[in-house]
Coordinates of all heavy atoms in Angstrom, one line a residue:
K23 N 105.5 75.9 120.6 CA 105.2 77.4 120.7 C 104.4 77.9 119.5 O 103.7 78.9 119.6 CB 106.5 78.2 120.8 CG 106.3 79.7 121.0 CD 105.8 80.0 122.4 CE 105.8 81.5 122.6 NZ 105.3 81.9 123.9
L24 N 104.4 77.1 118.4 CA 103.8 77.5 117.2 C 102.4 76.9 116.9 O 102.2 75.7 117.3 CB 104.7 77.2 116.0 CG 106.2 77.7 116.2 CD1 107.0 77.2 115.0 CD2 106.2 79.2 116.2
A25 N 101.6 77.6 116.3 CA 100.3 77.1 115.9 C 100.1 77.4 114.4 O 100.1 78.6 114.0 CB 99.1 77.8 116.7
L26 N 99.9 76.4 113.6 CA 99.7 76.6 112.1 C 98.3 76.8 111.8 O 97.4 75.9 111.9 CB 100.3 75.3 111.4 CG 100.1 75.3 109.9 CD1 100.7 76.5 109.2 CD2 100.6 74.0 109.3
I27 N 97.9 78.0 111.4 CA 96.5 78.3 111.0 C 96.6 79.1 109.7 O 96.9 80.3 109.7 CB 95.8 79.2 112.0 CG1 95.8 78.4 113.4 CG2 94.4 79.5 111.6 CD1 95.1 79.2 114.5
P28 N 96.4 78.4 108.5 CA 96.5 79.1 107.2 C 95.4 80.2 107.1 O 94.3 80.1 107.8 CB 96.3 78.0 106.2 CG 96.6 76.7 107.0 CD 96.2 77.0 108.4
L29 N 95.6 81.2 106.3 CA 94.6 82.2 106.0 C 93.4 81.6 105.3 O 93.5 80.5 104.6 CB 95.2 83.3 105.1 CG 96.3 84.2 105.6 CD1 96.8 85.1 104.5 CD2 95.8 85.0 106.8
G30 N 92.3 82.2 105.5 CA 91.0 81.8 104.9 C 90.4 83.0 104.3 O 90.5 84.1 104.8
I31 N 89.6 82.8 103.3 CA 88.8 83.9 102.7 C 87.3 83.5 102.5 O 87.0 82.4 102.4 CB 89.4 84.4 101.4 CG1 89.3 83.3 100.3 CG2 90.8 84.9 101.5 CD1 89.7 83.7 98.9
D32 N 86.5 84.5 102.6 CA 85.1 84.3 102.3 C 84.8 84.2 100.8 O 85.7 84.4 100.0 CB 84.3 85.5 102.9 CG 82.9 85.1 103.4 OD1 82.5 83.9 103.1 OD2 82.3 85.9 104.1
N33 N 83.6 83.7 100.5 CA 83.3 83.6 99.1 C 83.2 85.0 98.4 O 82.6 85.9 99.0 CB 82.0 82.9 98.9 CG 82.1 81.4 99.2 OD1 83.1 80.8 99.0 ND2 81.0 80.9 99.8
I34 N 83.8 85.2 97.3 CA 83.9 86.4 96.6 C 82.8 86.5 95.5 O 82.6 85.5 94.8 CB 85.3 86.7 96.0 CG1 86.4 86.7 97.1 CG2 85.3 88.0 95.2 CD1 87.8 86.6 96.5
N35 N 82.2 87.6 95.4 CA 81.1 87.8 94.4 C 81.8 88.3 93.1 O 81.8 89.5 92.8 CB 80.0 88.7 94.8 CG 78.9 88.9 93.9 OD1 78.7 88.0 93.0 ND2 78.2 90.0 93.9
F36 N 82.4 87.4 92.3 CA 83.1 87.9 91.1 C 82.2 88.4 90.0 O 81.1 87.8 89.9 CB 83.9 86.7 90.5 CG 85.0 86.1 91.4 CD1 84.8 84.9 92.0 CD2 86.2 86.8 91.7 CE1 85.8 84.4 92.9 CE2 87.1 86.3 92.5 CZ 87.0 85.1 93.1

Side-chain angles (χ1 to χ4, degrees):
K23 182 72 174 176
L24 307 173
L26 174 57
I27 304 178
L29 292 176
I31 60 172
D32 211 346
N33 290 326
I34 299 169
N35 185 24
F36 298 107

